[in-house]
Amino acid sequence: MSAGGAFGGNRGARPVPPEKGVFPLDHMHLCDLEKKDYINCLKFEGHKSEKCRHFSKKYLECRMEKNLMAKQDMSELGFRKGDELQFPSDEEYSDRIVK
Amino acid sequence: MSFSRLCRGTHFLSSSKVSICQAPFLSRHLDAVGSRYSSYIGESNSIVSGTPFGFNRRCFVSKHGYNLRIYSAKKSHPINVGRQYSTQASSTERKSNKMLFYLTGLVFAMVGCSYAAVPLYRRFCQATGYGGTVQRRESVEEKIARHTQDGTVTSREIVVQFNADVADGMPWKFVPTQREVRVKPGESALAFYTAENRSATPITGVSTYNVTPMKAAVYFNKIQCFCFEEQRLLPGEQIDMPVFFYIDPEFETDPKMDGINNLILSYTFFKVSEDK
């Protein structure tokens, strides 16, 4: 039944707040490097999220360290242990940034 | 109006209506019967409109007063008749009052029902999943845990594009840091937005989001983002705002999502206040 869109559709639905709440803003730019790494990785990999997962993991770990995010086990957020080992040479990407 | 209709309905009653108010003398039989009928009419009248009853009442008095005189002559029960008259009138009053309370209560009950219908229907939809409402009981972490346990493998690649808007009169530059992200359902992904305060005063803004197409929005879960809370930017400050989201693997198995391979996540920033 596609009645969800028929009868005034989203009228009853309200925007759902995020599960874990709001990211406190990184005013001090503490995790900027990790973020830049991730963005560059996306650019080089054709915006494929799975290839840059280890960078996003690093970014989230950085945030947890700097108290910008509630500390949590990475597996709970969907990061499996295999992600770390996929691209051992992270320096490749950082070199590209420098150049 | 209804009284006249009632009277027109029965020939006898119309004649009695005339006789009640005009004739000072009547046969006793007609009186006795007529009084019963007119008391019935009078009762129904009190519910419909006030004045005919009042008019009737006056006639009542005269008629019953006449009756009283007759009865006092024939039988010695003046008190009984008097009591009968008063109880009759008060019982009709009580009945009409009861009717009034009942009807007012009904009105309020109806209004209350229409207000209660909205949350009740929503709860019903959530409980039964009617009309495609997704039960939002499971948190994202539970979902992720469940899918990793099940070992669900997803193959469809979905392109999530980003859009950023700023409300009128908001001097911020708000853009997505990456144009799109290709992600598979079941994989949590990170995305960034960049906001810059171009004015000379600190401005506080709040953002809201939107996912199109709307029917796919139920599968789009935001784990963490920067929306719904006030964010303050100092003049000239540029900041990165991350969004961490997750698309439900059930997206792949849903037949309604067959042609959908593009999702657009759109954020809009509104100004809350400006410090001067």
Side-chain angles (χ1 to χ4, degrees), chain A residues 45-93:
Chain A
E45 297 292 338
H47 298 285
K48 285 199 207 288
S49 150
E50 50 182 348
K51 301 227 169 123
C52 303
R53 293 209 70 178
H54 57 297
F55 280 121
S56 55
K57 188 173 177 185
K58 269 195 169 176
Y59 178 78
L60 293 175
E61 277 168 354
C62 163
R63 268 199 165 236
M64 284 184 193
E65 268 174 54
K66 309 275 164 49
N67 271 327
L68 292 170
M69 186 173 164
K71 287 201 165 70
Q72 212 181 12
D73 194 18
M74 277 304 177
S75 57
E76 283 178 31
L77 297 169
F79 290 104
R80 275 155 257 162
K81 287 195 181 153
D83 287 338
E84 245 350 308
L85 306 168
Q86 264 175 18
F87 295 93
S89 52
D90 296 332
E91 288 79 33
E92 271 182 39
Y93 292 106

Side-chain angles (χ1 to χ4, degrees), chain B residues 208-223:
Chain B
T208 181
Y209 80 99
N210 198 309
V211 177
T212 40
M214 288 201 221
K215 54 182 176 174
V218 285
Y219 293 114
F220 189 90
N221 305 296
K222 281 198 295 56
I223 303 173

Side-chain angles (χ1 to χ4, degrees), chain A residues 19-36:
Chain A
E19 289 269 343
K20 291 181 57 58
V22 180
F23 268 131
L25 285 193
D26 188 6
H27 287 277
M28 301 291 130
H29 299 271
L30 299 166
C31 293
D32 243 13
L33 271 172
E34 280 82 1
K35 168 218 138 197
K36 285 197 178 116

